[in-house]
Amino acid sequence: MKIKKIYNNNIILAEDVGQLEHIALGKGIAFNKKRGDVIEKAKIEKLFVIKSDQTMNQFIQLLNEVPVNQLELTNKIVNSAEKELQTKFNDIIYIGLTDHINYAIDRFKNSVPVNNALLWEIKRFYPKEFQAAMHSLELIKYYENILLPEDEAGFIALHFVNAQYDNEEMTRTIFTTEFIQDTVEILESHFKIQIETNSLNFGRFLTHLKFFINRILDNELEEESDDPYIYEQVKKKYSEVSSCVDDIAEYTQKKFHQPVTVDEKMYLTLHIQRLIK
């Protein structure tokens, strides 16, 4: 793999034998190097193998628009968050998160605060990602000497959530968060309770809602069951929960213009019953 362009001592654009371009990060990877020199593999800390021309163009454009030290900072933030969350992010996070951090730092320096309307929901539904994002603010403070507000941690947390799903768009993550919040509000209002969001049962319910909303957005809801007998038995046994599920189904149909199937209602009923008992 040879150097095609040097951005600084730690970031380069490289080209392999098949003339496929890569972004390579590594401490001192380009020190005393020039275009055409071979890269020492041992010095590569992160290699972006981006097959899409559009994504590569976005990456290169980003490197031309933001300070390269902020890409290095993003790399530190991503590595730290992956260890803390015990996960592996989609590499696309480097584009969106670097761009966001650059914009957030610029806004802060120009005294232009931005309110995060979803901050409460993010803290409630994605507590682990939010905590990792708060640690990201500490890294930003250390390297940039500025302390960004909690609102920015909320935005960063959404990037962490988004990057755990392949090819998922940030707009979908925001949409899902809003849907979960509305559903929980219906549930809490119906039973006049406050849901304990750090419980195991809520975690199960949250996972079900995420898959449910993804099926709706992808138009993958299954057709009605030929035999609704099981649902009728569940409905009879948990009549109050079933009434709440009907409210959720009505809200869902109005929002997405798709009816909620009997099977989906049954699963929601069982999840909610376990959640509130």
Side-chain angles (χ1 to χ4, degrees), residues 181-239:
Q181 171 63 14
D182 292 342
T183 302
V184 170
E185 283 183 359
I186 292 171
L187 198 160
E188 290 182 329
S189 176
H190 186 94
F191 291 103
K192 295 179 173 55
I193 58 173
Q194 180 75 33
I195 298 297
E196 183 59 56
T197 55
N198 61 359
S199 69
L200 178 60
N201 283 334
F202 182 78
R204 291 167 176 157
F205 178 60
L206 190 64
T207 299
H208 178 77
L209 285 183
K210 288 177 183 177
F211 282 112
F212 176 51
I213 186 64
N214 280 333
R215 287 196 296 275
I216 291 175
L217 295 175
D218 293 331
N219 294 311
E220 293 179 352
L221 283 184
E222 296 179 359
E223 295 181 359
E224 293 284 2
S225 172
D226 292 332
D227 184 9
Y229 175 77
I230 298 178
Y231 170 65
E232 291 301 326
Q233 295 301 109
V234 170
K235 185 176 180 179
K236 183 177 180 180
K237 186 174 182 179
Y238 306 121
S239 57

Side-chain angles (χ1 to χ4, degrees), residues 2-168:
K2 295 183 178 180
I3 296 175
K4 189 172 182 179
K5 183 174 181 178
I6 296 174
Y7 291 97
N8 69 6
N9 278 340
N10 305 319
I11 304 174
I12 63 170
L13 176 66
E15 189 175 69
D16 62 19
V17 291
Q19 295 187 321
L20 184 65
E21 292 181 334
H22 308 264
I23 299 292
L25 276 68
K27 188 174 182 180
I29 194 172
F31 182 69
N32 281 338
K33 297 286 186 180
K34 62 181 183 299
R35 181 186 172 108
D37 286 350
V38 176
I39 305 170
E40 298 172 38
K41 289 185 178 180
K43 289 191 174 182
I44 299 176
E45 296 175 8
K46 180 67 181 177
L47 185 67
F48 299 96
V49 185
I50 304 175
K51 297 178 181 178
S52 164
D53 289 339
Q54 180 182 0
T55 304
M56 177 57 78
N57 290 336
Q58 289 176 348
F59 215 132
I60 293 173
Q61 182 181 351
L62 183 70
L63 287 172
N64 290 325
E65 292 179 357
V66 306
V68 289
N69 65 294
Q70 288 182 14
L71 178 57
E72 295 172 323
L73 174 57
T74 299
N75 190 42
K76 290 181 173 66
I77 288 172
V78 168
N79 289 338
S80 174
E82 285 182 333
K83 289 178 183 177
E84 183 171 347
L85 298 173
Q86 297 183 331
T87 190
K88 182 68 177 175
F89 293 145
N90 188 316
D91 278 351
I92 202 70
I93 190 175
Y94 284 88
I95 295 178
L97 187 55
T98 303
D99 189 49
H100 177 81
I101 288 173
N102 175 62
Y103 186 45
I105 291 173
D106 185 64
R107 281 192 283 101
F108 183 87
K109 290 180 177 179
N110 287 285
S111 301
V112 184
V114 171
N115 217 18
N116 189 337
L118 290 174
L119 181 61
W120 186 85
E121 289 85 351
I122 294 166
K123 292 168 74 171
R124 188 179 189 192
F125 299 138
Y126 308 113
K128 293 179 180 179
E129 286 82 1
F130 181 76
Q131 189 60 37
M134 288 297 292
H135 294 153
S136 299
L137 296 192
E138 295 173 10
L139 284 171
I140 293 172
K141 180 183 178 183
Y142 180 83
Y143 287 101
E144 295 289 333
N145 198 31
I146 62 172
L147 181 59
L148 297 177
E150 261 195 349
D151 296 81
E152 294 296 346
F155 291 126
I156 293 172
L158 284 182
H159 281 279
F160 292 162
V161 173
N162 184 60
Q164 293 178 65
Y165 300 92
D166 290 337
N167 300 321
E168 186 166 358

Side-chain angles (χ1 to χ4, degrees), residues 246-265:
D246 286 340
D247 292 341
I248 294 172
E250 182 180 355
Y251 153 76
T252 303
Q253 183 161 357
K254 286 181 179 177
K255 190 174 184 67
F256 302 106
H257 308 291
Q258 288 191 55
V260 178
T261 65
V262 164
D263 287 342
E264 293 290 351
K265 287 183 180 180

